[in-house]
Amino acid sequence: MEVCGTHTMAISGFGIRRAVDPRLRLLSGPGCPVCVTDQSEIDAAIALTKVPGVAVITFGDMVRVPGSRGSLEQARASGADVRVVYSALDSVGMAAAEPEREFVFLGVGFETTAPTVAATVKVAGRRRLRNFSVWPMFKLIPPALRFVCEARRAGQGIDGFILPGHVATVVGTRPFSFAAREFAVPCCVAGFEATDVLQGVLMLLEQLRDGRAEVENQYSRSVRPEGNRRARQVMSEVFCRTDAVWRGLGRVAGSGLGFRPRWQRFDASRRFRVRTPKPVRSACRCGDVMLGVIAPPECRLFAKGCTPEHPAGPCMVSTEGACAAYYKYEG
């Protein structure tokens, strides 16, 4: 299983799935930050757009993810103030320029995004901005990986994990050691070029051949065992661990980030109380795709009721989504 959505794109884009021995099955995991954002969180973001005087700020992929009734893109088409940025810091500049409006940044992402948002909150604090806040939807990869290991222990197991290079750049390799130690699953942090992925697969196969279960690091040019201490320090200064709801996985203990008491004045979920509609069940099987239970073409909506132009779920929306990768590169 490749845990990272960027690996999924690389495997499909480089044609690796078609090039390797057919006995080797490459599964997608819960490593796309937009895809794992729960439908209830999308609904909360859409409800937030209906609060008078509020501008919702987000990254581009989020605007097209369908909630129970519509998307942020549709809310914007109906007149809501929804703005897309490339950096969380851009939203601070917007808030400073328009003090009469409330600016809420949607804090979506993994350990790669959370440190930059934490640094943005600190900047807002230094500038004494009262009209800027963050709605925390962050997710942490190691607890989700544990969930996958435990969920699949009784059924079809995972023979090896291609660990996310971007996340490991921040957290290092040690937080993943439990998978090898407790579940005897070989692991390898890999980069994102074709040769990186292939070497990572080879290293996993060699572990299986030798009867080993370790966390190896193919991506040593970017990843250190201790990760990026400064990024982790900033993240832990502003945020603390909390439970989080993942699409397809449900509530996973200790897998999210919330504000520490000192910074709770920037917590939009405390500042704004919004009502969300009762979730509507969908035939989309994005959750099963991210657990590796099925491949995207096994979903009956794939390329029929669900396409990039008319997505039924986030895995077809995100540039890191498994369904989008299969649709674009594997027909």
Side-chain angles (χ1 to χ4, degrees):
M1 173 179 280
E2 78 276 0
V3 181
C4 179
T6 309
H7 279 140
T8 297
M9 276 293 176
I11 288 170
S12 293
F14 289 125
I16 292 174
R17 203 183 320 275
R18 297 187 297 274
V20 298
D21 190 303
R23 291 172 295 175
L24 177 62
R25 190 178 184 203
L26 298 172
L27 303 172
S28 300
C32 163
V34 173
C35 303
V36 300
T37 302
D38 190 65
Q39 183 171 296
S40 63
E41 295 174 314
I42 302 296
D43 290 340
I46 295 171
L48 196 59
T49 66
K50 300 177 183 178
V51 178
V54 169
V56 173
I57 315 300
T58 184
F59 296 129
D61 281 0
M62 281 291 291
V63 296
R64 298 187 63 236
V65 177
S68 296
R69 295 172 179 83
S71 64
L72 286 170
E73 183 179 54
Q74 291 169 328
R76 181 170 59 181
S78 299
D81 192 349
V82 179
R83 309 186 193 184
V84 174
V85 294
Y86 291 101
S87 166
L89 195 59
D90 292 341
S91 55
V92 170
M94 294 176 181
E98 300 180 55
E100 73 284 356
R101 295 188 68 76
E102 288 280 350
F103 287 81
V104 180
F105 180 78
L106 302 182
V108 176
F110 298 131
E111 294 91 337
T112 48
T113 306
T116 65
V117 179
T120 298
V121 169
K122 294 184 69 175
V123 170
R126 288 196 298 269
R127 297 180 66 171
R128 302 181 186 277
L129 292 178
R130 298 181 180 275
N131 63 327
F132 170 80
S133 57
V134 174
W135 194 288
M137 304 179 185
F138 302 107
K139 307 291 190 292
L140 303 176
I141 286 291
L145 201 61
R146 177 179 289 278
F147 182 95
V148 171
C149 289
E150 292 174 346
R152 297 189 62 119
R153 174 186 270 169
Q156 179 187 5
I158 301 295
D159 295 307
F161 285 113
I162 303 174
L163 296 176
H166 293 144
V167 171
T169 300
V170 175
V171 304
T173 58
R174 294 175 186 136
F176 300 103
S177 61
F178 73 88
R181 184 180 63 252
E182 298 178 31
F183 298 94
V185 180
C187 301
C188 182
V189 179
F192 302 97
E193 298 299 327
T195 48
D196 290 327
V197 177
L198 288 169
Q199 186 177 13
V201 170
L202 176 61
M203 292 166 74
L204 289 173
L205 291 172
E206 288 174 340
Q207 286 194 53
L208 288 168
R209 179 198 62 194
D210 300 338
R212 296 181 288 117
E214 304 170 4
V215 178
E216 294 187 302
N217 182 14
Q218 183 276 336
Y219 201 29
S220 58
R221 63 183 184 273
S222 295
V223 174
R224 300 290 178 267
E226 69 279 6
N228 185 320
R229 290 193 178 97
R230 178 57 179 154
R232 295 202 322 273
Q233 177 186 343
V234 172
M235 182 168 58
S236 63
E237 182 180 345
V238 176
F239 301 122
C240 59
R241 283 200 176 201
T242 185
D243 296 348
V245 179
W246 296 58
R247 187 184 293 256
L249 277 66
R251 184 170 295 275
V252 180
S255 66
L257 293 174
F259 281 89
R260 292 192 181 277
R262 177 186 172 188
W263 300 97
Q264 283 180 353
R265 66 187 185 276
F266 292 103
D267 188 346
S269 65
R270 289 174 174 266
R271 186 179 297 188
F272 302 97
R273 300 295 180 180
V274 296
R275 290 187 177 184
T276 58
K278 184 178 180 180
V280 178
R281 291 196 63 177
S282 169
C284 170
R285 297 187 66 186
C286 186
D288 288 337
V289 169
M290 291 185 293
L291 280 173
V293 175
I294 63 170
E298 295 176 71
C299 175
R300 63 185 180 87
L301 296 183
F302 180 79
K304 300 179 182 70
C306 181
T307 65
E309 292 76 23
H310 301 285
C315 291
M316 187 63 86
V317 175
S318 175
T319 55
E320 296 182 1
C323 295
Y326 270 80
Y327 187 93
K328 182 175 181 179
Y329 296 113
E330 303 194 40

